[in-house]
């Protein structure tokens, strides 16, 4: 009689931001569906993101709570999520200090539990050393595109931004499969680190820990960015498993509606509103969980939506809850009644994007949102703000050719009046993505990507097979270790 194989136990430690925690839960579900036990480490404030979804029932997924070292890092109690910190930029260094202070708790936990693998977020570069202490394979979860990692490598390796005379002079990223051009002001300050300084930048520390790790889990699929999957493996010499789009593990409307926080609108109300609209007639506007908006920019968006005459759903996180908000033009909701739906707070994004009425997505180009748009077959208006979002914009507009740029020139966590995108520019981009022959061509390309994404995660698809290969390699590693 053949003994049943040892059930793998994987520990996942996501960064404390919704954009990292939500796909981590999706990945946990994918592992659990293959009979792998998963423990997700988080903190008390962030626990509900996982617990409410797990309650609906997967016995192979559990949550382990770590104490958040707020006091030790000089943070107020309860300041346990990047969304809170992003609105107080002066606290960002202390927040990252706190994440480094998790190391002792993690090592004590690993020593006690002795799992088979540690999947740790890229923002925990020290986790590779922690895993090595216990002879554990450490997998890195970046939560960004393969394209963005390759673009970042080109920036780090060649420093092309040093060869231009001004912030707005274009330069190409050398060595990449496509011609990709940026301007210096679109590159993050950390990526333009002072090479004379002996201390390593965050980007360099992440890069080093990735090189020394067992490999990288990609929330992407091979058919989306094949040249960059090959570049990453061959030119950069990294091992990666492309297992996405992980959001597609949420099959039912209830699962889609429960991702992340509880939505600020009833999902049945939202779907009923969308059901009343023609296919491809609605523009969905949302800038993710960590973006910061200012009233003058919100007013420009409002006026552009009204002037475009298009149906729209607009998720506004910084809009407040009153009816006379400073950012809302007087009488706006009355004038757009029936054509517009404002969601003040968290929107059930996957549910919205998957609806046939949605014809375009105005997005900040965070990778989760970008990939959710791709998975839904929706063309995009790209409006990057910070992080790796300017790279994702280039993937959408230059490589996939399923979007148009709004024209943002400057990488910036905190928007300013000087950098406003005008209502005229916003309206023009909306019309370009929704009207005419070029828009129809983008829509056709987007629909093909949707089909490819869904095929990738089905049994026998590329992402399904990559996950199978990863699980097999982890089993092999543990077998060799035991022998």
């Amino acid at each position: 009689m053949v003994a049943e194989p040892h059930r793998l136990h994987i520990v996942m430690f996501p960064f404390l931001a919704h954009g990292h925690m939500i796909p981590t839960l999706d990945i946990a579900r994918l592992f659990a569906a293959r009979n792998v036990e998963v423990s997700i480490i988080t903190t008390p404030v962030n626990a509900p993101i996982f617990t409410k979804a797990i309650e609906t029932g997967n016995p192979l997924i559990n949550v382990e709570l770590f104490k958040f070292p707020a006091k030790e890092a000089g943070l107020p109690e309860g300041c346990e999520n990047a969304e809170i910190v992003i609105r107080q930029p002066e606290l960002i260094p202390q927040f990252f200090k706190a994440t480094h202070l998790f190391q002792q708790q993690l090592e004590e936990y690993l020593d006690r539990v002795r799992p088979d693998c540690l999947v740790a977020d890229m923002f925990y570069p020290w986790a590779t050393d922690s895993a090595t202490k216990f002879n554990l394979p450490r997998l890195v979860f970046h939560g960004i595109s393969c394209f963005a990692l390759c673009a970042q490598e080109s920036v780090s390796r060649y420093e092309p931004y040093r060869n231009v005379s001004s912030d707005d002079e274009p330069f190409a990223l050398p060595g990449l499969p496509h011609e990709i051009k940026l301007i210096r002001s679109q590159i993050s300050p950390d990526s333009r680190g002072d090479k004379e300084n002996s201390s390593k930048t965050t980007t360099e520390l992440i890069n080093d820990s990735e090189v020394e790790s067992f490999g990288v889990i990609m929330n992407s699929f091979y058919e989306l960015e094949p040249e960059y999957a090959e570049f990453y493996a061959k030119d950069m010499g990294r091992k990666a498993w492309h297992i996405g789009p992980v959001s597609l593990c949420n099959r039912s409307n209830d699962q889609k509606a429960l991702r992340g926080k509880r939505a600020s609108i009833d999902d049945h109300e939202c779907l009923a509103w969308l059901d009343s609209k023609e296919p491809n007639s609605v523009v969905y506007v949302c800038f993710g969980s960590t973006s910061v908006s200012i009233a003058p920019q919100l007013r420009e968006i409002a006026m552009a939506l009204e002037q475009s005459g298009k149906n729209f759903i607009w998720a506004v996180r910084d809009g407040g809850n009153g009816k006379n908000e400073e950012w809302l033009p007087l009488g706006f909701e009355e004038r757009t009644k029936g054509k517009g739906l404002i969601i003040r707070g968290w929107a059930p994004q996957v549910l919205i994007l998957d609806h046939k009425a949605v014809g375009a997505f105005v997005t900040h180009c965070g990778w989760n949102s970008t990939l959710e748009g791709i998975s839904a077959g929706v063309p995009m208006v790209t409006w990057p703000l910070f992080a790796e979002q300017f790279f994702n914009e280039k993937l959408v507009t230059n490589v996939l050719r399923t979007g148009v740029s709004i024209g943002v020139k400057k990488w910036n966590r905190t928007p300013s009046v000087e950098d406003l995108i005008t209502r005229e520019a916003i309206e023009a981009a909306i019309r370009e993505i929704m009207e005419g022959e070029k828009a129809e061509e983008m829509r056709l390309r987007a629909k093909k990507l949707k089909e490819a994404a869904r095929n990738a995660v089905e049994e026998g698809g590329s992402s399904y097979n990559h996950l199978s290969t990863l699980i097999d390699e982890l089993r092999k590693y543990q077998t060799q270790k035991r022998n």
Side-chain angles (χ1 to χ4, degrees):
M1 189 173 176
V2 179
E4 284 192 22
H6 164 74
R7 178 185 280 159
L8 288 174
H9 177 203
I10 292 176
V11 170
M12 305 192 74
F13 193 8
F15 187 64
L16 303 177
H18 279 85
H20 295 246
M21 291 185 286
I22 293 170
T24 293
L25 179 57
D26 290 337
I27 294 168
R29 284 181 169 138
L30 292 173
F31 275 122
R34 306 292 189 93
N35 198 34
V36 174
E37 182 184 351
V38 184
S39 297
I40 303 173
I41 297 170
T42 192
T43 67
V45 167
N46 296 295
I49 294 163
F50 303 102
T51 53
K52 73 175 185 189
I54 294 168
E55 278 164 13
T56 54
N58 199 315
L60 291 180
I61 304 175
N62 61 81
V63 176
E64 180 72 24
L65 294 184
F66 277 15
K67 179 185 179 298
F68 186 80
K71 186 178 179 183
E72 296 87 334
L75 286 167
E77 285 299 323
C79 194
E80 299 181 14
N81 189 292
E83 280 183 51
I84 302 168
V85 177
I86 204 79
R87 281 156 179 73
Q88 301 176 70
E90 69 279 3
L91 296 180
I92 291 174
Q94 290 98 305
F95 187 75
F96 276 94
K97 180 184 177 183
T99 66
H100 282 270
L101 294 174
F102 277 128
Q103 186 165 4
Q104 184 178 341
Q105 282 187 82
L106 178 66
E107 291 180 6
E108 288 171 356
Y109 175 74
L110 295 177
D111 190 30
R112 185 175 80 252
V113 175
R114 297 288 173 158
D116 298 304
C117 174
L118 172 65
V119 180
D121 197 278
M122 65 176 187
F123 284 122
Y124 305 130
W126 46 265
T128 298
D129 290 339
S130 295
T132 302
K133 288 181 185 178
F134 302 98
N135 195 17
L136 280 179
R138 184 261 169 123
L139 291 166
V140 179
F141 177 58
H142 278 283
I144 63 177
S145 65
C146 194
F147 175 89
L149 289 169
C150 296
Q152 181 58 60
E153 176 69 12
S154 174
V155 170
S156 298
R157 189 185 292 180
Y158 300 106
E159 301 180 337
Y161 53 84
R162 295 189 183 275
N163 302 324
V164 292
S165 56
S166 68
D167 275 356
D168 54 6
E169 182 184 340
F171 58 84
L173 299 187
L176 297 182
H178 296 84
E179 183 179 64
I180 304 298
K181 289 188 174 180
L182 291 164
I183 58 176
R184 191 160 59 199
S185 58
Q186 293 172 327
I187 301 290
S188 77
D190 187 66
S191 297
R192 292 184 270 139
D194 180 6
K195 299 294 178 181
E196 305 303 317
N197 193 326
S198 58
S199 62
K200 291 190 175 184
T201 65
T202 302
T203 301
E204 289 169 329
L205 290 170
I206 290 169
N207 187 62
D208 290 350
S209 75
E210 181 188 308
V211 170
E212 294 160 10
S213 73
F214 191 73
V216 175
I217 289 179
M218 293 279 189
N219 182 15
S220 185
F221 59 105
Y222 181 85
E223 293 81 2
L224 180 66
E225 37 183 358
E227 302 95 335
Y228 295 91
E230 295 299 326
F231 183 94
Y232 190 77
K234 294 174 182 174
D235 292 67
M236 292 172 61
R238 313 289 166 83
K239 195 169 186 178
W241 295 270
H242 303 255
I243 67 168
V246 299
S247 64
L248 292 179
C249 75
N250 298 278
R251 304 276 176 154
S252 71
N253 283 349
D254 284 346
Q255 285 178 321
K256 292 171 188 177
L258 275 172
R259 288 181 86 234
K261 294 181 184 177
R262 182 163 295 282
S264 302
I265 186 172
D266 179 77
D267 51 299
H268 299 294
E269 179 191 343
C270 190
L271 288 175
W273 189 91
L274 284 164
D275 287 341
S276 71
K277 305 304 175 190
E278 293 294 315
N280 301 321
S281 69
V282 176
V283 179
Y284 172 55
V285 184
C286 183
F287 293 95
S289 57
T290 55
S291 64
V292 178
S293 301
I294 55 173
Q297 186 63 81
L298 292 172
R299 280 198 297 274
E300 292 300 304
I301 294 170
M303 294 310 298
L305 289 170
E306 183 176 353
Q307 288 166 194
S308 76
K310 307 297 180 191
N311 297 317
F312 66 86
I313 293 182
W314 184 15
V316 188
R317 295 188 64 257
D318 290 322
N321 296 309
K323 283 290 179 186
N324 299 309
E325 294 104 332
E326 174 199 353
W327 57 273
L328 205 55
L330 193 63
F332 174 79
E333 287 185 279
E334 290 77 13
R335 293 193 302 274
T336 58
K337 191 172 183 180
K339 293 191 78 69
L341 179 64
I342 297 179
I343 300 175
R344 292 167 169 82
W346 191 269
Q349 181 160 292
V350 170
L351 198 66
I352 292 168
L353 287 170
D354 279 347
H355 198 283
K356 66 182 185 297
V358 175
F361 180 16
V362 181
T363 174
H364 67 305
C365 299
W367 184 238
N368 290 317
S369 291
T370 303
L371 194 55
E372 286 159 15
I374 289 167
S375 303
V378 178
M380 289 173 257
V381 173
T382 58
W383 191 327
L385 304 170
F386 58 93
E388 89 296 353
Q389 295 161 14
F390 286 90
F391 296 144
N392 294 337
E393 174 180 60
K394 295 298 180 182
L395 174 65
V396 170
T397 58
N398 290 35
V399 179
L400 304 177
R401 295 183 299 129
T402 57
V404 297
S405 171
I406 203 84
V408 181
K409 304 280 189 195
K410 188 176 178 182
W411 190 105
N412 200 347
R413 282 196 189 94
T414 51
S416 64
V417 177
E418 293 75 33
D419 299 316
L420 280 189
I421 303 295
T422 65
R423 65 192 68 177
E424 291 80 13
I426 301 165
E427 183 187 355
I430 289 171
R431 291 192 181 282
E432 188 177 351
I433 205 84
M434 293 287 279
E435 300 172 1
E437 191 176 323
K438 183 181 173 184
E440 193 52 40
E441 288 170 0
M442 282 190 282
R443 194 171 309 287
L444 288 172
R445 284 192 287 271
K447 296 297 181 193
K448 286 180 182 176
L449 288 174
K450 171 184 177 177
E451 188 178 340
R454 283 158 202 261
N455 288 339
V457 299
E458 295 298 332
E459 188 168 354
S462 61
S463 294
Y464 185 96
N465 291 340
H466 269 236
L467 183 57
S468 299
T469 302
L470 171 57
I471 291 170
D472 288 345
E473 291 195 34
L474 291 174
R475 287 195 199 286
K476 185 178 177 183
Y477 183 95
Q478 292 305 329
T479 300
Q480 289 172 341
K481 191 168 85 169
R482 284 195 295 272
N483 294 338

